[in-house]
Amino acid sequence: MKKNHSIKIPLRNNPYEVIIGKNIINKYKKKIFVTIKNAKRIFIITDTTIKKLHLKKITQIIPKNFFVKTLVINPGEKMKDIKTVNKILTILLKNKISRNDAVFALGGGVIGDVSGFLASITLRGINLIHFPTTLLAQVDSSIGGKTGVNSLYGKNLIGTFYQPNLVICDTIFLSTLPRRELIAGYAEVIKYGIIYDKNFFNWLNNNINKLLKNDSFQMIRAIKRSVEIKKEFIIKDEKDLNNKRALLNFGHTFAHSLENCTKYSKILLHGEAVSIGICMASKLSNRLGFLSLNNYLKIKNIFYNFGLPIDLEFLKKIKIQKKQIVNNMIYDKKNLSGKLNFILCKDIGSAFVYNKVKKESIKKSIN
Ligand SMILES: NC(=O)c1ccc[n+]([C@@H]2O[C@H](COP(=O)([O-])OP(=O)(O)OC[C@H]3O[C@@H](n4cnc5c(N)ncnc54)[C@H](O)[C@@H]3O)[C@@H](O)[C@H]2O)c1
């Protein structure tokens, strides 16, 4: 098997490449600068943790003739808000950013979502290259062009669709990722198996130990297949208009509500919320007669065996009421005309949108 992989995302107006491999930043230096060939200024957006660990890997490949400014925010979901965007935007404009210039997003999903949103609104759109540093960002958030920040009313409610020019998934970044963050990233990887690819689900199930031991070969394989699957959904429905891309949100209606209940704090990471959310959505699918009990249990078990939380037991120290979880769902972006739009699954490898779910059934799936 090849060491590095290039996956083309062939969108009509914004085609781009996702490159996956280990220690690849230097190797793809030329491609990076050809992609932004008219840029004179590069604004690197990162957080304090990643700056210490990985910033040099990026700055050392930038030719001397570029103006480079690094903008560093504190880590964490709480920074993903409009205030952060406004602060950085002011600095970009003060430094006379032009439309040919580029933002380099060096970080996890928070940095990627903030940077993508910024890149989309600055001068109505500037170049954007993602260097995702978490597993979750490499398999999910850096691909597909969803950008945005949270609001008091819920997660990702302020945002745009804006595709990057290039994504470099270098697994060397993952060597410093805390174990809890790494495991959280696997929630989205497992999701791809459940919604689209039963063989991938089974492969993940059979390789849990190797993946959790950071076996580079298997990790790259998992990232590559995840990106390929996400690509299938994006090319069919780039802007989430025909219910195809919505399937990527399997479990996320519950997850986003739980994150809101925990106030986007470290108590519950996004991937952990997705893991619990998928178990709840699978239980709901089973309750409504779509998913067999055997498959529901298989789904719960794979998350459990990866070391991910599968129910509210994980949050027992804080009191969350079922009513609150359900009420938060009203703000979910997937809802149309007041109806709760749910993603359910009927088999491992097959998901669909369903809008006839009653509040009582939702409540009974929360445990
Ligand atoms: N846009 C999308 O399509 C999309 C999809 C999925 C998730 N998301 C968003 O992504 C966010 C979650 O992303 P995340 O899980 O990457 O979390 P994150 O961005 O908060 O990063 C997690 C933590 O890991 C640290 N970190 C990052 N890389 C590191 C490294 N290599 N070594 C050591 N520490 C490192 C960060 O400083 C941070 O503290 C959420 O806001 C979620 O809504 C967006």
Side-chain angles (χ1 to χ4, degrees), residues 47 49-50 53-54 75-77 80 107-111 113 133-134 136-137 140-143 145-147 150 155-156 173-178 181 188 230 245 252 256 259 266 270-271:
D47 73 32
T49 310
I50 304 155
L53 297 166
H54 300 295
E77 186 73 31
K80 203 175 117 171
V110 167
I111 290 293
D113 282 6
T133 63
T134 63
L136 187 135
D140 192 358
S141 59
S142 64
I143 303 134
K146 278 194 180 176
T147 85
N150 304 327
K155 218 173 133 75
N156 300 333
F173 291 130
L174 307 183
S175 59
T176 59
L177 196 61
E181 296 285 354
E188 301 281 9
K230 183 152 188 186
R245 186 171 178 156
H252 284 58
H256 287 169
E259 285 184 276
K266 279 268 178 192
H270 177 70

Side-chain angles (χ1 to χ4, degrees), residues 314-325:
F314 185 71
L315 297 171
K316 63 175 182 245
K317 283 196 188 130
I318 48 169
K319 283 197 181 106
I320 301 181
Q321 299 200 325
K322 288 186 182 182
K323 199 173 150 193
Q324 190 190 351
I325 299 175

